[in-house]
Amino acid sequence: MSYAVVGLPAPPNLNGSLSSITTSSNKGADDVNSVEMKPSTGAGYKWRLVIAYDGTHYAGWQYQQSPPTIQCIVEKALIRVTKLERKDLHLVGASRTDTGVHAFGQVAHFVTPFNYDSLESIHAALNGLLPADIRVREISAAVPEFHARFSTKSKIYHYKIFNDTVMDPFQRHYAYHSAYKLNATVMREAAKHFVGKHDFSAFANASHNDRMPDPVKNIFRFGVIEMGALLQLEVEGSGFLYRQVRNMVALLLQIGRQAIPPDIVPMILATRDRKELAKYALSAPPHGLCLVSIKYNEQHLHLPSSCPISSFGRHHSISKCKLPFY
């Protein structure tokens, strides 16, 4: 089965623009993989969003008005642009990121009873209404089978740790500060124990959103990358329980400080008891965590035929300088 990635960032470039990498493209009516652009079952035309946000000032993704959430802010902008009611938009996010957690590749979908000839105008209008810490990176048409949450094959999260005696003030909202010198080698050794299919009950907090969550998740990779003083933990899995990533990171931090050995990971996993993990580590703070990208079944990312071209934003240009020379 082939997967396609939504929201995977290009290599960090402070002067570059944010770009989305997907294996889908705008396919015409002659493409054998294209499907007709038609209303999704009983709902209307379906549209996919890729959203980036700084979660510092928000109470996560999931809808609530006070304190504000990302979904609430995005819905208000969509209501103004589409002139539809919230109940008609059916906005759904792929991942219900927690309070203070960031995203570069959050994916969501919404529906409208009407089609669009062009997506650039609605894209520009949405970003014009949204606050500066939330941006829609991409808008594209979606086939009826696509579902931002249930079509997900895997999610990729990064957790950043600034490992130096003095914290970099420019990293303070996006990286956890560890003044203790961390041993990245033993952290890598410990992270390998998370890879594979396991019952992660010991690494999950109780959530009011999931009444009967499946505790068995498949972790495809868990890397520990050193970038100078910055330590980046990269984890990809089929899905994650509430606070699972932050709890895994918290244990790796203790192992990196060499307070406990790497082989404690399988021991705690085997207990399936959250209280066992609490003996060694508390949950890592949310601000170091970022939802980087989401992978989907490639067939669900095929664009319908006769649909508008996907919008990645538009450049503005000036034909000539209007300022006088001095």
Side-chain angles (χ1 to χ4, degrees):
M1 179 179 294
S2 59
Y3 296 166
V5 185
V6 175
L8 184 64
N13 180 356
L14 295 178
N15 297 318
S17 59
L18 303 182
S19 61
S20 173
I21 300 176
T22 69
T23 60
S24 63
S25 60
N26 289 298
K27 301 178 183 291
D30 295 332
D31 194 294
V32 294
N33 291 321
S34 65
V35 296
E36 183 184 357
M37 182 63 174
K38 58 185 179 180
S40 54
T41 307
Y45 296 89
K46 186 173 285 187
W47 311 96
R48 180 173 58 249
L49 304 174
V50 180
I51 308 170
Y53 51 83
D54 180 335
T56 303
H57 302 297
Y58 299 98
W61 166 266
Q62 195 73 356
Y63 184 87
Q64 69 178 42
Q65 294 194 34
S66 182
T69 63
I70 305 296
Q71 183 178 359
C72 179
I73 301 298
V74 172
E75 281 188 354
K76 287 180 178 179
L78 280 170
I79 289 169
R80 290 187 62 183
V81 170
T82 64
K83 310 300 182 186
L84 297 173
E85 299 294 327
R86 177 176 183 257
K87 61 181 177 62
D88 300 319
L89 290 168
H90 300 286
L91 180 68
V92 176
S95 183
R96 293 175 290 188
T97 54
D98 200 10
T99 299
V101 174
H102 313 294
F104 182 82
Q106 172 71 284
V107 178
H109 77 255
F110 69 98
V111 296
T112 61
F114 44 78
N115 199 356
Y116 284 102
D117 293 328
S118 171
L119 293 176
E120 282 194 345
S121 295
I122 182 176
H123 194 172
L126 283 174
N127 282 337
L129 291 169
L130 290 169
D133 51 5
I134 304 175
R135 277 293 171 268
V136 174
R137 295 175 47 221
E138 176 185 340
I139 302 180
S140 58
V143 293
E145 295 77 16
F146 175 80
H147 191 284
R149 186 178 180 191
F150 298 126
S151 297
T152 299
K153 292 300 179 183
S154 71
K155 300 176 183 178
I156 299 173
Y157 282 91
H158 288 180
Y159 193 97
K160 293 183 178 181
I161 304 163
F162 193 79
N163 191 200
D164 205 348
T165 54
V166 179
M167 180 60 181
D168 179 349
F170 297 103
Q171 297 280 353
R172 71 190 187 282
H173 293 310
Y174 313 106
Y176 167 70
H177 180 215
S178 174
Y180 294 94
K181 183 61 179 176
L182 299 175
N183 186 326
T185 300
V186 295
M187 292 174 73
R188 288 190 194 96
E189 183 182 343
K192 290 179 182 177
H193 293 297
F194 287 121
V195 176
K197 187 175 288 187
H198 305 286
D199 184 322
F200 283 94
S201 297
F203 288 86
N205 287 31
S207 170
H208 299 296
N209 294 324
D210 292 313
R211 296 181 181 179
M212 297 181 64
D214 181 3
V216 178
K217 304 297 178 184
N218 194 359
I219 303 299
F220 303 122
R221 61 184 179 90
F222 203 142
V224 180
I225 314 299
E226 293 179 90
M227 299 180 290
L230 198 65
L231 203 61
Q232 184 163 281
L233 278 56
E234 303 179 357
V235 57
E236 178 180 358
S238 60
F240 299 95
L241 299 169
Y242 181 54
R243 294 194 179 178
Q244 179 187 334
V245 176
R246 289 166 56 191
N247 288 333
M248 292 190 295
V249 169
L251 187 63
L252 290 179
L253 281 167
Q254 291 295 83
I255 293 169
R257 292 167 183 165
Q258 298 184 279
I260 48 180
D263 59 6
I264 201 168
V265 174
M267 185 271 287
I268 295 176
L269 278 169
T271 67
R272 302 180 183 179
D273 186 355
R274 177 67 179 83
K275 294 179 181 177
E276 189 64 28
L277 175 64
K279 296 177 182 177
Y280 303 97
L282 300 176
S283 189
H287 66 280
L289 186 61
C290 181
L291 171 62
V292 174
S293 60
I294 299 174
K295 291 184 180 180
Y296 290 94
N297 184 328
E298 188 176 359
Q299 292 181 342
H300 286 187
L301 291 183
H302 287 157
L303 298 182
S305 61
S306 304
C307 71
I309 296 174
S310 298
S311 175
F312 299 91
R314 58 187 176 191
H315 292 282
H316 296 275
S317 60
I318 300 176
S319 58
K320 62 180 180 179
C321 183
K322 297 180 181 180
L323 296 177
F325 290 99
Y326 295 98

